[in-house]
Amino acid sequence: MLEFFKRKRKKLIVAGCSYVDNYAKSQNLPTFPLWSEILARKLNMELINLGKCGAGNKEIYSKIADTIMTEDRIGLVVSMWTEFQRVSFYIDKLQTWKSFHTDRDYLNAEWTDKFHKGMSGVAQPNPLKKKMPYRISKEYRAFGLNDIQASTEDSVRIMHGFQTLCENRDIPYLQMQGPYPIMSKSRYDNEQKLAGTFINSIYLKEIPKATFVGWPIINSIGGHCIDDYLTKDEKYVISKEDRHPNAKGNQLISEILYDKYNQNYSKT
């Protein structure tokens, strides 16, 4: 009988990066209920969590689209978008996605070079520089493919595509930006370019604030992302060094989404 009622429940599909995946577990930290689990209980829905640490927006969208095409009884889809400069590739041989950050992975490998010099002063091979994220990121940077404007435009297209897919199939949906859209170390230098790209985007007025938490996601033009909520108070993050949402942060995100859901879909 319990299994019968479970099959009758609608499904909550969520996708994103480490703000959606069980980040604490991946870091061997004490675990806590994720915002998606809390939201699923509040909505009495069966949860399908597609989140993966490090996922890029192309990976996030692709997983959502594939799941929408194969699942029925979908009650709500929530997409939490990640940093815009992450790139994603599907590797058919491995049957999995690989995503990485073209700035962070490159700069991290360059920075760790100083730890690969022995007593003789001769640099030893840096294993990070042999891996795919560094090698591809180096080429991206060499040819200017990691441009803030281009990656922003790609992400906004993906957001609009997600919205259109859900609306065409009459599926309730919500969107939000999780971490700051550009890498924190360069955020202040590049925010003007980021904001300008949003202001000039043909999609700016096509994405409604009603279904996108904090649209247009950037403080300087009247928006906000989940990081803005979390950094208001240290109690919402794992630590000063680790800004991922902790138990209270996950509870906060669930409340924001639950309110947004009720504003849009409580009568459906």
Side-chain angles (χ1 to χ4, degrees):
M1 183 64 71
L2 180 62
E3 187 63 29
F4 171 79
F5 285 110
K6 184 177 180 180
R7 291 199 299 269
K8 287 292 184 180
R9 285 194 301 167
K10 291 185 176 182
K11 297 169 184 174
L12 167 63
I13 299 171
V14 302
C17 59
S18 53
Y19 283 38
V20 180
D21 197 1
N22 196 331
Y23 172 79
K25 183 178 180 180
S26 74
Q27 300 299 307
N28 296 315
L29 298 171
T31 59
F32 40 75
L34 304 179
W35 62 260
S36 56
E37 296 168 345
I38 301 169
L39 183 62
R41 287 197 296 269
K42 289 182 176 181
L43 298 176
N44 191 28
M45 293 184 183
E46 176 187 347
L47 176 63
I48 299 177
N49 189 336
L50 305 173
K52 191 183 82 174
C53 293
N57 283 335
K58 181 181 177 181
E59 176 180 350
I60 293 168
Y61 171 79
S62 299
K63 286 182 175 179
I64 290 174
D66 291 350
T67 304
I68 285 176
M69 298 300 293
T70 56
E71 293 288 343
D72 58 6
R73 303 190 317 278
I74 300 175
L76 177 65
V77 183
V78 179
S79 184
M80 181 184 280
W81 305 109
T82 190
E83 294 168 291
F84 294 171
Q85 287 176 287
R86 285 182 178 172
V87 297
S88 303
F89 303 93
Y90 185 77
I91 303 177
D92 190 63
K93 184 177 180 180
L94 301 176
Q95 294 289 291
T96 190
W97 283 90
K98 293 289 185 181
S99 296
F100 47 87
H101 196 294
T102 53
D103 272 1
R104 184 178 295 109
D105 286 291
Y106 173 84
L107 295 174
N108 184 54
E110 290 290 318
W111 180 75
T112 56
D113 258 356
K114 62 185 179 182
F115 299 108
H116 293 274
K117 292 183 179 180
M119 295 297 292
S120 64
V122 177
Q124 301 298 313
N126 185 342
L128 290 178
K129 289 191 171 183
K130 295 181 179 180
K131 295 182 178 180
M132 182 176 65
Y134 173 81
R135 293 170 65 186
I136 294 181
S137 295
K138 184 178 180 180
E139 294 303 312
Y140 260 69
R141 293 167 62 86
F143 289 96
L145 301 178
N146 66 325
D147 180 71
I148 293 293
Q149 181 175 342
S151 58
T152 299
E153 290 172 346
D154 282 345
S155 289
V156 174
R157 289 189 196 100
I158 287 173
M159 294 167 181
H160 187 262
F162 164 75
Q163 168 189 313
T164 303
L165 174 62
C166 291
E167 290 177 348
N168 285 346
R169 299 183 70 86
D170 197 26
I171 295 173
Y173 70 95
L174 295 172
Q175 303 190 67
M176 54 187 167
Q177 177 69 30
Y180 290 119
I182 55 179
M183 193 170 73
S184 58
K185 290 181 180 179
S186 58
R187 175 187 168 210
Y188 300 103
D189 295 333
N190 292 316
E191 187 162 347
Q192 185 175 1
K193 188 173 184 180
L194 176 72
T197 305
F198 263 82
I199 291 171
N200 294 319
S201 173
I202 59 176
Y203 298 103
L204 180 64
K205 295 182 180 179
E206 299 297 321
I207 297 178
K209 293 182 179 180
T211 53
F212 199 121
V213 176
W215 183 256
I217 78 174
I218 305 167
N219 274 317
S220 60
I221 57 175
H224 50 265
C225 58
I226 292 301
D227 265 353
D228 292 315
Y229 289 102
L230 299 177
T231 54
K232 286 181 179 179
D233 196 317
E234 293 289 335
K235 69 181 181 181
Y236 293 126
V237 296
I238 289 177
S239 70
K240 289 183 178 181
E241 292 74 29
D242 192 331
R243 313 306 287 176
H244 286 82
N246 60 13
K248 291 182 178 179
N250 273 268
Q251 180 66 46
L252 176 64
I253 295 170
S254 73
E255 292 169 358
I256 292 169
L257 286 168
Y258 186 65
D259 289 343
K260 203 72 168 175
Y261 174 84
N262 285 327
Q263 292 169 19
N264 286 278
Y265 304 112
S266 60
K267 295 181 181 179
T268 61

